[in-house]
């Protein structure tokens, strides 16, 4: 199992993701430079957090034109696993791999705090080690994480079950008070209709070791590992 | 030619910056302000043989990069530059 971690100028969560992949998970790690086009045989591509290209113009607006993003788009079209976290989610939306957009937090504040997420889909390669309706605790760290989509797109996402994570309270109740950024329908993460491209604002790579205050994020990395093992043995 | 492009959040998109600016104006005594939307202004200088061509090109720039159609609307004006004018 080989994870590719994308590095743009301005990415800062690449090392955190890389650490989890090779030090915690024990999987193969390959950093992928944005100017390259070769995905080097990776089974899952992580587009990590940060401020790619300084987030100039809009978050993710310039990053999507990187040569590597074209290869990632083709990889996704072939069914490859693509996982955008925070800035990576914003980039996947800008590039059209996921619907909608992430806008300024309703509070106008940069929010760096723990959130509770209810897992609405546990049948995905990214969540197979979670239980459906399980509440996981994962931190956020963003100023522009308020998910927006037009009403038609939003209802399509809901009907197709493409909402994977929703901000909730500790008991799993989805409430306005548990929404840290004003996301429509408390959306914290979505998947494309095929289920192989995930975007999420919270940072699972920041809660993959007990020393960091929680290990729920590791479940997602383990899920990807597990799904790849299933594909290999199938 | 110069294109003066204005990008604004769509009416359906929540604009917390606009709300905050409106509150700021209200606290300064501008109680007549009923709504504020905060967007961006982009100036693009380009070579074009005709205004029609420039309009098409700038429109393509806006729809492909300068504005995100999911959350933003845009409009622009074109202005001819005097030949030899100081930049």
């Amino acid at each position: 199992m080989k994870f590719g971690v994308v590095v743009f100028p301005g990415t800062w969560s690449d090392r955190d993701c890389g650490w989890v992949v090779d030090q915690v998970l024990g999987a193969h790690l390959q950093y992928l430079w944005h100017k390259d086009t070769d995905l080097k045989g990776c089974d899952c591509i992580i587009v990590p957090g940060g401020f790619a290209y300084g987030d100039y113009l809009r978050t993710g607006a310039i990053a999507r034109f990187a040569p590597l993003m074209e290869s990632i788009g083709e990889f996704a079209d072939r069914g490859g696993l693509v996982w955008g976290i925070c800035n990576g989610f914003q980039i996947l939306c800008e590039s059209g791999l996921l619907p909608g957009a992430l806008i300024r937090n309703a509070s106008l504040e940069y929010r760096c705090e723990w959130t509770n997420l209810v897992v609405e889909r546990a049948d995905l390669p990214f969540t197979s080690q979670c239980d459906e309706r399980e509440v996981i605790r994962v931190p956020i760290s963003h100023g522009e994480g308020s998910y927006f989509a037009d009403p038609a797109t939003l209802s399509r996402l809901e009907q197709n079950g493409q909402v994977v994570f929703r901000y909730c309270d500790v008991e799993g109740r989805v409430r306005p008070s548990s929404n840290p950024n004003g996301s429509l329908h408390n959306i914290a993460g979505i998947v494309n209709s095929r289920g192989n491209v995930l975007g999420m604002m919270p940072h699972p790579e920041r809660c993959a070791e007990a020393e960091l205050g929680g290990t729920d994020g590791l479940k997602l990395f383990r899920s990807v590992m597990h799904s790849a093992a299933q594909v290999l043995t199938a | 030619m110069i294109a003066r492009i204005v990008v604004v959040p769509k009416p359906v998109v929540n604009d917390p910056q606009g709300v905050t600016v409106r509150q700021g104006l209200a606290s300064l005594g501008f109680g007549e302000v009923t709504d504020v939307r905060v967007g961006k202004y982009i100036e693009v200088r380009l070579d074009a043989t005709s205004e029609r061509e420039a309009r098409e090109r700038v429109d393509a720039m806006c729809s492909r990069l300068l504005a995100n159609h999911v959350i933003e609307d845009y409009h622009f004006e074109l202005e001819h530059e005097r030949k030899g004018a100081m930049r």
Side-chain angles (χ1 to χ4, degrees):
Chain A
M1 175 71 200
K2 192 172 175 183
F3 284 83
V5 175
V6 180
V7 185
F8 293 99
T11 301
W12 48 239
S13 215
D14 46 334
R15 300 285 159 161
D16 292 1
C17 289
W19 173 269
V20 175
V21 166
D22 74 345
Q23 298 294 316
V24 185
L25 204 59
H28 292 290
L29 166 68
Q30 173 72 56
Y31 287 110
L32 299 168
W33 184 235
H34 69 116
K35 282 187 176 168
D36 292 340
T37 51
D38 184 3
L39 299 182
K40 297 179 177 160
C42 291
D43 305 291
C44 174
I45 306 294
I46 298 177
V47 189
F51 297 85
Y53 291 92
D55 274 350
Y56 294 150
L57 192 64
R58 292 181 306 277
T59 59
I62 310 293
R64 79 169 157 116
F65 296 107
L68 193 68
M69 284 309 297
E70 198 169 321
S71 304
I72 290 174
E74 290 163 6
F75 178 71
D77 287 345
R78 294 197 303 272
L81 298 182
V82 179
W83 185 4
I85 300 169
C86 196
N87 195 219
F89 185 13
Q90 296 163 339
I91 293 167
L92 295 181
C93 285
E94 278 283 341
S95 64
L97 288 174
L98 289 172
L102 284 312
I103 61 172
R104 186 71 68 97
N105 291 350
S107 64
L108 288 177
E109 295 167 335
Y110 189 100
R111 287 287 177 92
C112 188
E113 62 196 35
W114 286 92
T115 60
N116 295 296
L117 309 175
V118 59
V119 180
E120 304 220 337
R121 290 280 303 274
D123 58 335
L124 295 165
F126 306 97
T127 54
S128 61
Q129 299 299 295
C130 301
D131 295 321
E132 201 172 309
R133 308 299 305 169
E134 180 180 348
V135 177
I136 59 173
R137 198 167 153 267
V138 184
I140 56 164
S141 176
H142 60 246
E144 288 169 302
S146 179
Y147 184 77
F148 175 86
D150 63 76
T153 304
L154 207 54
S155 74
R156 199 172 64 242
L157 285 173
E158 295 287 3
Q159 279 168 12
N160 294 347
Q162 287 175 248
V163 178
V164 183
F165 305 112
R166 250 186 260 270
Y167 300 109
C168 64
D169 65 15
V170 284
E171 268 98 40
R173 289 173 299 214
V174 176
R175 296 185 157 171
S177 58
S178 57
N179 187 338
N181 53 27
S183 286
L184 294 178
H185 296 200
N186 279 38
I187 287 173
I190 58 167
V191 76
N192 65 344
S193 55
R194 193 170 170 181
N196 63 313
V197 178
L198 171 72
M200 61 190 295
M201 287 311 296
H203 286 276
E205 79 280 12
R206 291 194 187 179
C207 55
E209 289 170 286
E211 291 86 343
L212 297 178
T215 57
D216 285 352
L218 190 57
K219 287 182 184 179
L220 307 186
F221 285 88
R222 284 203 174 123
S223 297
V224 174
M225 190 88 162
H226 182 75
S227 69
Q230 280 189 324
V231 171
L232 290 174
T233 53
Chain B
M1 203 142 356
I2 300 177
R4 303 186 187 282
I5 304 161
V6 174
V7 180
V8 287
K10 281 181 190 285
V12 292
V13 174
N14 186 25
D15 177 22
Q17 280 191 97
V19 172
T20 306
V21 172
R22 190 190 70 195
Q23 289 164 351
L25 289 171
S27 71
L28 287 173
F30 296 101
E32 71 272 34
V33 176
T34 55
D35 191 26
V36 176
R37 309 288 287 172
V38 177
K40 27 174 117 77
Y41 170 70
I42 303 167
E43 221 172 68
V44 173
R45 191 167 262 124
L46 71 159
D47 295 322
T49 52
S50 69
E51 192 173 321
R52 187 183 160 182
E53 183 200 340
R55 193 160 289 284
E56 281 176 10
R57 298 292 288 170
V58 172
D59 197 56
M61 292 175 207
C62 290
S63 62
R64 290 187 60 196
L65 173 63
L66 302 179
N68 179 336
H69 69 94
V70 177
I71 48 173
E72 294 168 329
D73 291 326
Y74 64 87
H75 56 87
F76 61 87
E77 289 169 4
L78 293 172
E79 191 180 297
H80 289 276
E81 278 185 288
R82 274 186 300 123
K83 281 220 167 73
M86 293 289 287
R87 289 201 167 179

